[in-house]
Amino acid sequence: MTGEFGVAVYAAEGGTVLAESGWATKYVTKVAGPLSLRTAVATVFADLKGADFTYEVNEQLITTFSLYSYRFREGDDPDRFLADVHGLGLYPDNDGYADAPISSALALASRATGVRLHAASTPGPQ
């Protein structure tokens, strides 16, 4: 998919995964709210300028934070996943950076929503 961009949608255990690739348009993030009516949505976004995790339930922002600055989280319940964030190494106790912030954030999204991500079934470059 070099030079291309788009959104892939596929069924996963526990729900649906939307994966965006290419230029950082945040399309998936923009549609997550309306899609989350009576359900939960977790988004992981990364580009050259930064990376973030967002979790919404019924279009209500529960928590959002940069994968590089967890201490500046926002939302109605910003500490909901504090134990998971520490356990996954997203907010190291020594104020360092996470070793693998994207994969840790995807693991957090899976835990938060119950949607199981499997590497073998994720869309990738063709």
Side-chain angles (χ1 to χ4, degrees):
M1 293 181 68
T2 304
E4 296 181 20
F5 55 92
V7 176
V9 179
Y10 66 95
E13 182 182 333
T16 303
V17 174
L18 281 78
E20 183 174 8
S21 62
W23 295 103
T25 61
K26 280 195 165 184
Y27 174 79
V28 170
T29 303
K30 290 175 187 173
V31 300
L35 290 175
S36 71
L37 191 58
R38 292 185 296 281
T39 191
V41 172
T43 60
V44 176
F45 179 81
D47 68 6
L48 294 175
K49 297 177 185 175
D52 56 65
F53 174 88
T54 300
Y55 179 72
E56 297 179 358
V57 176
N58 297 328
E59 295 188 272
Q60 295 289 327
L61 176 63
I62 303 304
T63 187
T64 187
F65 56 89
S66 166
L67 300 185
Y68 304 109
S69 311
Y70 180 72
R71 74 179 78 210
F72 301 113
R73 58 204 172 275
E74 299 176 12
D76 293 342
D77 187 3
D79 292 324
R80 180 173 291 189
F81 303 115
L82 183 61
D84 290 310
V85 166
H86 279 286
L88 291 166
L90 280 169
Y91 186 46
D93 292 328
N94 62 5
D95 283 339
Y97 291 105
D99 289 333
I102 303 302
S103 59
S104 293
L106 289 171
L108 179 60
S110 182
R111 289 181 187 187
T113 62
V115 176
R116 301 292 171 239
L117 304 174
H118 299 286
S121 63
T122 57
Q126 302 295 318

